[in-house]
Amino acid sequence: MTPECDLGRLLTGMRPELNPGRYVFTSVTGTPPSGLAPVVTVAEDEGLTLVLRREEADAAGLGYDYVAGWITLRVHSALDAVGLTAAVAAALADAGISCNVVAGHHHDHLFVPHERADEAVTLLQELARRTG
């Protein structure tokens, strides 16, 4: 699959998909507790940020203050594509929905407040229809 750079095709083909579960952001210093399966890790000066299922964080006794829904944009976006993150963030911001974006090699992943995740998917589907 060839990565897409054209913003119009990225938006019309994004096919947002809500992954099941609730996800949290937490941070650890040193080695993370064993048995965790984070979906995202980010090394920062302050520690290792982990995004993982809430149940895993609870079982490991890890603190968090944000519970998110995880949306995957199913279009294969090129890492040097311009405008997708901005367009998606603007559409969600207009509805008052916060959005934390993580780019994977093949797809972009959005973490939005869990209680508004279904609404966010609907807004992104509408954005795709309007663009097409």
Side-chain angles (χ1 to χ4, degrees):
M1 179 191 311
T2 302
E4 183 59 63
C5 284
D6 179 83
L7 181 58
R9 287 195 293 269
L10 285 167
L11 291 171
T12 59
M14 67 178 152
R15 300 183 328 275
E17 179 180 297
L18 181 60
N19 296 283
R22 289 174 168 81
Y23 295 84
V24 299
F25 288 67
T26 189
S27 184
V28 298
T29 55
T31 305
S34 63
L36 298 180
V39 298
V40 176
T41 61
V42 179
E44 299 179 290
D45 291 341
E46 299 84 357
L48 182 66
T49 296
L50 308 171
V51 181
L52 64 158
R53 285 183 170 274
R54 183 174 70 178
E55 297 82 7
E56 289 183 52
D58 289 343
L62 297 172
Y64 55 86
D65 58 8
Y66 177 74
V67 180
W70 171 19
I71 300 169
T72 299
L73 302 182
R74 285 304 188 191
V75 66
H76 185 181
S77 55
L79 291 169
D80 60 350
V82 176
L84 177 61
T85 300
V88 165
L92 295 175
D94 286 348
I97 299 175
S98 67
C99 177
N100 295 279
V101 180
V102 177
H105 184 75
H106 298 283
H107 304 286
D108 290 283
H109 304 273
L110 316 175
F111 292 89
V112 300
H114 185 266
E115 66 276 5
R116 299 195 67 191
D118 288 325
E119 178 186 359
V121 168
T122 299
L123 288 168
L124 295 172
Q125 289 169 337
E126 290 171 3
L127 174 61
R129 279 193 293 276
R130 281 194 319 267
T131 304

